[in-house]
């Protein structure tokens, strides 16, 4: 079992697998709680009109992670992403548009 785990690790290192991170850091709108912003962002992203009525996109995720990249400001900032996938497997993000429509601003 150790050999298999080691072999897989070596293969991934050799191939250079890179995880895609499309999260953007945003200030949530003044007056919103993190719970309210999360609910609003997830709801709006998953029903984003340009994605649904666009190029046959499939919803992937609406992610809200409270806090900045060090975990600070968990009540006022969040790392967010709104992503969809096109028929060719390419990821299309609407993070900035959804965030702006909710009144969130880049941090």
């Amino acid at each position: 079992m150790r050999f298999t785990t080691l072999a897989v690790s070596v293969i991934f290192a050799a191939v250079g697998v890179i995880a895609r991170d499309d999260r953007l850091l945003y200030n949530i709108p003044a007056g919103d709680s993190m719970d309210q912003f999360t609910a609003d962002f997830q709801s709006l992203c998953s029903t984003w009109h340009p994605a649904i009525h666009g190029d046959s996109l499939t919803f992937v995720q609406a992610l809200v992670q409270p806090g900045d990249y060090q975990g600070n400001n968990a009540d006022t900032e969040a790392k967010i992403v709104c992503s969809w996938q096109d028929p060719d497997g390419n990821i299309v993000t609407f993070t900035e548009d959804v965030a702006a429509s909710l009144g969130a601003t880049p941090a």
Side-chain angles (χ1 to χ4, degrees):
M1 189 71 162
R2 278 190 194 184
F3 176 74
T4 304
T5 303
L6 178 60
V8 170
S9 296
V10 169
I11 290 169
F12 281 138
V15 172
V17 174
I18 298 172
R20 181 178 172 137
D21 185 359
D22 290 322
R23 296 173 303 161
L24 300 175
L25 183 61
Y26 269 76
N27 297 305
I28 67 169
D32 270 9
S33 69
M34 187 58 70
D35 288 340
Q36 183 61 52
F37 177 74
T38 299
D40 292 346
F41 185 84
Q42 290 175 338
S43 175
L44 188 57
C45 173
S46 65
T47 60
W48 191 241
H49 189 270
I52 292 172
H53 299 289
D55 301 318
S56 301
L57 300 177
T58 303
F59 177 69
V60 175
Q61 71 173 339
L63 178 68
V64 177
Q65 295 177 317
D68 62 16
Y69 294 101
Q70 291 75 39
N72 300 318
N73 307 317
D75 293 333
T76 59
E77 294 180 332
K79 298 170 299 296
I80 59 176
V81 66
C82 173
S83 58
W84 291 67
Q85 187 173 39
D86 72 14
D88 295 326
N90 300 308
I91 298 296
V92 180
T93 61
F94 294 96
T95 307
E96 294 165 322
D97 297 326
V98 173
S101 72
L102 294 172
T105 56

